[in-house]
Amino acid sequence: MSSCNHRGQIRDVVPKSLGCAECLALGTPWVHLRLCRSCGHVGCCDSSQGRHATAHFRATGHPIIEGYDPPEGWGWCYVDEVMVELPDQTEQLGPIPRFT
């Protein structure tokens, strides 16, 4: 893992939705889910049409996401563009719907 200056911003969060919040509202599919480790926003990956996790980062500046298609659990820092070792894996709240 490369150096990341944002590890101190990793929080224990509660996911705010069971899938990509924006895709659920729009009725659009996603490929994979990403969880913001600053606030709990669940967004879709960059392989998804909406790219809502990256859009959330751009809107908020929240740097660290977790791969949230359990049991992924890896971390990524948008700012430093490196994988980040997370101190823990976020528990999912219930079954996550699959779209694609």
Side-chain angles (χ1 to χ4, degrees):
M1 306 250 169
S2 297
S3 180
C4 171
N5 298 315
H6 303 91
R7 288 184 42 78
Q9 296 182 41
I10 297 170
R11 305 282 178 258
D12 289 333
V13 296
V14 175
K16 293 183 176 178
S17 59
L18 290 179
C20 175
E22 292 83 358
C23 288
L24 287 169
L26 295 168
T28 57
W30 62 76
V31 178
H32 295 288
L33 298 173
R34 307 295 180 238
L35 175 68
C36 176
R37 286 300 299 261
S38 293
C39 72
H41 174 268
V42 180
C44 58
C45 71
D46 285 352
S47 295
S48 302
Q49 178 182 354
R51 298 182 177 136
H52 292 119
T54 298
H56 176 75
F57 160 68
R58 289 185 180 136
T60 64
H62 295 166
I64 308 287
I65 57 166
E66 176 179 344
Y68 191 61
D69 285 320
E72 286 187 33
W74 49 264
W76 175 259
C77 177
Y78 281 112
V79 177
D80 295 316
E81 296 184 345
V82 295
M83 299 296 288
V84 175
E85 188 173 330
L86 298 174
D88 57 7
Q89 187 174 351
T90 305
E91 235 180 281
Q92 70 184 100
L93 297 175
I96 293 179
R98 297 272 177 210
F99 274 99
T100 54

